[in-house]
Amino acid sequence: MKKSTNQNAFKIICDIIGHKYVVSKQVTSHVKEYTCKCCKKQLTTNSNGDLTELTPTFKEINSILEDIYTRRMVRIK
Ligand SMILES: [Zn+2]
């Protein structure tokens, strides 16, 4: 019952050669969510424009941002 073995192996690879992040979600024109193709680690853009780990708090902030952004886009159209 060791399902996380592969995940850990990928993590070690990422630690050595670096993560392979791809944009998994475009929240607003400035804020994006990234997922590592290798170990599935998630990052997001914070209010300073830097990349930070996608914690549950940031997920919540992003979903609010996305909601506001989507509504504004609808209004412009
Ligand atoms: Zn990784």
Side-chain angles (χ1 to χ4, degrees), residues 13-20 36 38:
I13 294 167
C14 283
D15 281 343
I16 297 164
I17 62 164
H19 297 284
K20 283 191 169 30
C36 175
C38 205

Side-chain angles (χ1 to χ4, degrees), residues 23-34 43-46 54 58-73:
V23 176
S24 53
K25 192 175 179 185
Q26 173 105 29
V27 182
T28 71
S29 55
H30 301 294
V31 179
K32 294 184 185 93
E33 287 178 9
Y34 302 87
L43 288 187
T44 188
T45 321
N46 66 16
L54 186 64
F58 272 110
K59 267 192 179 171
E60 213 177 306
I61 294 169
N62 281 354
S63 74
I64 296 164
L65 274 178
E66 192 187 15
D67 193 48
I68 296 167
Y69 186 73
T70 313
R71 261 188 244 180
R72 205 173 53 186
M73 291 308 274

Side-chain angles (χ1 to χ4, degrees), residues 7 10-11 14 19 36-41:
Q7 200 79 357
F10 283 136
K11 257 185 109 175
C14 283
H19 297 284
C36 175
K37 278 201 284 187
C38 205
C39 69
K40 309 294 176 203
K41 183 184 162 78

